[in-house]
Amino acid sequence: MLVEVCANSLESALIAERAGADRIELCSELAVGGLTPSYGLLKMVKERVSIPVHVLIRPRSGNFSYTDDELNIMVTDINLCVELGFSGIVSGVLHQNFKVDVERTKILKQAAGHLKFTFHRAFDWVENPIEAMRQLEELEMDYVLTSGQQNSAPKGLQLLCDLQKHSSCIDIMPGSGVNAGNVSLFKDQGFKAVHLSGTAMEKKLDIIAPITMNSKSFLSDDHVAVTQFKNVHEVVTKVK
């Protein structure tokens, strides 16, 4: 059974490799479900990690419906991953009605070329998962990462098993809440791969920061923070 570890840093990737992981999904910002890692992180991981690495391509947090500019950014990031020699891409696009955006996902798949492609947990928002699976098989996806449309993969086990039965060429990869206490559930059901972060919060400062740099107001699935013309223009007008 392949064990994929979602690593949010070089340190995490090196630890996962040392612990026996078969593959890394490299990203940043686990708190928002993962974002595309920086060029610096990509380069360092490629130089120092020897097991296969698949890179998450997600330009921002929030929903999975992207503008033309955002899609172009994603394609550019994929091109960089191909150039750097990574093994796979993790991404996907939905319409705003939560159906798979086949055309835009196809653009990402074509940009990835020979690299393996995982359709990520945007799948857990789709209305009809069996229909979505058929669409992704037509796109020749290699993996679908999903919790079975529940808050954790153990809770979504029934749908995960149904998806596996309906899949002819895609490997269903359970992810979210997978740990040593429940991984046997998935192995016993014949899944070929599982996905986990294996993280714990580690204290890195000995003193308490004077003010927080985290903002809960930016954490949203249906809103995206966008600079407002009026807000900036009014400030510029007052000071120039």
Side-chain angles (χ1 to χ4, degrees), residues 59-76:
R60 56 159 173 77
S61 62
N63 61 65
F64 302 99
S65 302
Y66 301 110
T67 66
D68 289 342
D69 286 337
E70 287 172 330
L71 191 72
N72 288 334
I73 289 169
M74 296 167 79
V75 169
T76 301

Side-chain angles (χ1 to χ4, degrees), residues 185-198:
L185 291 173
F186 309 106
K187 186 172 178 62
D188 292 345
Q189 292 295 330
F191 290 96
K192 296 178 181 179
V194 288
H195 171 99
L196 69 150
S197 69

Side-chain angles (χ1 to χ4, degrees), residues 122-134:
F123 187 86
D124 288 322
W125 282 13
V126 299
E127 281 187 315
N128 187 328
I130 303 302
E131 177 188 352
M133 274 291 299
R134 296 194 189 99

Side-chain angles (χ1 to χ4, degrees), residues 1-6 23 25 118-121 123-124 143-164 170-179 182-197:
M1 188 180 206
L2 184 146
V3 176
E4 178 181 88
V5 174
C6 183
R23 188 170 72 205
E25 183 204 299
T118 299
F119 193 92
H120 57 31
R121 287 196 60 207
F123 187 86
D124 288 322
Y143 298 91
V144 168
L145 172 62
T146 169
S147 64
Q149 300 196 326
Q150 299 295 324
N151 289 330
S152 69
K155 292 180 179 179
L157 184 60
Q158 183 58 60
L159 177 57
L160 289 167
C161 291
D162 290 344
L163 290 169
Q164 184 172 236
I170 291 177
D171 285 331
I172 304 300
M173 183 163 51
S176 182
V178 175
N179 56 47
N182 58 38
V183 70
S184 293
L185 291 173
F186 309 106
K187 186 172 178 62
D188 292 345
Q189 292 295 330
F191 290 96
K192 296 178 181 179
V194 288
H195 171 99
L196 69 150
S197 69

Side-chain angles (χ1 to χ4, degrees), residues 105-119:
T105 301
K106 184 177 181 180
I107 290 172
L108 301 182
K109 178 69 166 61
Q110 290 175 335
H114 67 279
L115 273 60
K116 296 288 187 181
F117 204 107
T118 299
F119 193 92

